[in-house]
Amino acid sequence: MEKELNLKKNIGFFVSTSLVIGTVIGSGIFMKPGIVLSSTANSTMALLAWIIGGVITLASGLTIAEVSVKIPRTGGLYAYIEEVYGEKWGFLCGWVQTLVYGPAVMGALSLYFGSLLADFFGFQGSSKVIGIITIILLGGLNILGTQLGGLIQTISTAGKLVPIILIAVFGILQGDVSVFNADSGSSTQALSMGAAVLATLWAYDGWMNVGFMAGEMKNPSKTLPRAIISGIVIVILAYLSVNIAMLHVLSASKIVELGPNAATAAASSLFGSIGGKILAIGILISIFGCLNGKILTFPRVTFAMAERNFLPGSKVLSSIHPKFNTPVGSTVFQIVLALAMMIFWNPDRLSDMAIFAVFLFYGLAFNAIFILRKKDKGGNKLYKVPLYPITPIVAILGTLYIICSTIINAPMDALVSIGIAIVGLPVYWRLKSTIRSDEKYKAS
């Protein structure tokens, strides 16, 4: 299925920046304001959490940009970890992405979509059923062909920006509620800045895809860092603007009370019932498109590992649809795992679990820049992370902050992710032993 491509260097600054914005903006800005507010003492601290999450994301993106230029391999995080730390660590990264990160992200997005769609049509109590139907539907469409999935992605990317711009502009101009130092109504026992920042990182997630396009950029040494800085800064400003606008229209306590429906309520307050419903449709399109993008891309990690016989049941997981030429085995497997998670966990827990799981390996990827710099005696002239070593250190410290905060605030969710990673070790040793035995048999 995988083919070597002669990539044309035809991607410029504006296209690169739009890719950054398109891959980052999804459901988080609409789903997480209430969670961030409930985790902080007041609205000012909540806005600070969004800024901290943005700074961590910017430092992370700039660091990974250099790693991706130094390691021009497909596979993203999995490939970076394997190249720098060896096959075992690469396997564990792909193992956790396959069993935790990918399914948890897809499950959370499906449940968020189901919740909003149920509220939109007044189908009380049916949000989980809608979420389940949605992920099965999109999984099937992506199996029918990547072109169809790509078409859905193109349409939804345009739709996601409309509600953000309208809510931000009109909310700031027309709102009359005090924005700063507004009490969120949370109990002192529930307060946690770490949980708040973790929630914002769900909204910023997706930046890892930014560096994958370096090989197709006209001038990656200039285009890549400019696109990352511009794109993430635009996203940070967009997120802050939407949060300020919502706080200007609804009280902080009301946003916490409404939860995922706060953005729709703010839109209805600004534009009336009909206008609110139109913007609610835009929000639904945004989440639908984000979910489609994840279903389109996440199974590729599973497929890549299975092709190398690096997963139990690799023959099934690496199977390709005979007619549509899509990774049917890995896609179905990821969907089934996501469905199981949707039954046992709510979307907020799934999103937190996903971010924690992937940050376990993000930290290794950020640290890789120091190892690669030592190996690169000739010096890389394509791209170097600005303000080295401060930028990667900020990314690493942010990672440690998130990991420690999750262990303290949600120990069971952290243990599930860590436990699955540890279980991967005997699986890896067993698979390696099987591969060696097969090689010896073939040699004889």
Side-chain angles (χ1 to χ4, degrees), residues 99 141 213 387 421:
L99 296 183
L141 289 174
M213 306 302 294
L387 300 177

Side-chain angles (χ1 to χ4, degrees), residues 98-278:
T98 294
L99 296 183
V100 183
Y101 178 63
V105 169
M106 293 189 292
L109 287 170
S110 300
L111 290 172
Y112 283 138
F113 181 83
S115 175
L116 288 183
L117 194 65
D119 182 74
F120 184 83
F121 288 107
F123 297 151
Q124 300 301 322
S126 58
S127 61
K128 184 167 288 190
V129 174
I130 294 172
I132 289 172
I133 293 172
T134 300
I135 193 172
I136 293 174
L137 172 65
L138 279 177
L141 289 174
N142 277 280
I143 288 172
L144 291 177
T146 54
Q147 281 190 331
L148 185 56
L151 177 62
I152 295 171
Q153 197 62 29
T154 301
I155 295 171
S156 62
T157 298
K160 73 172 63 179
L161 298 176
V162 175
I164 290 177
I165 294 171
L166 290 178
I167 291 174
V169 172
F170 286 92
I172 291 173
L173 292 176
Q174 297 182 9
D176 56 4
V177 181
S178 177
V179 173
F180 299 101
N181 295 315
D183 187 3
S184 65
S186 304
S187 64
T188 54
Q189 291 85 356
L191 298 181
S192 169
M193 195 62 171
V197 174
L198 182 67
T200 69
L201 289 173
W202 167 261
Y204 288 114
D205 190 40
W207 57 265
M208 177 61 78
N209 299 326
V210 173
F212 298 171
M213 306 302 294
E216 298 172 66
M217 291 180 182
K218 295 177 182 177
N219 189 348
S221 62
K222 292 183 179 180
T223 302
L224 190 58
R226 285 171 57 203
I228 290 174
I229 294 171
S230 302
I232 294 179
V233 166
I234 289 171
V235 171
I236 293 171
L237 292 175
Y239 285 2
L240 284 173
S241 298
V242 169
N243 275 276
I244 291 171
M246 288 175 62
L247 287 165
H248 209 24
V249 175
L250 304 171
S251 67
S253 57
K254 189 67 176 176
I255 294 174
V256 172
E257 179 187 336
L258 290 168
N261 297 309
T264 304
S268 297
S269 177
L270 287 169
F271 306 105
S273 178
I274 295 177
K277 286 188 177 297
I278 292 173

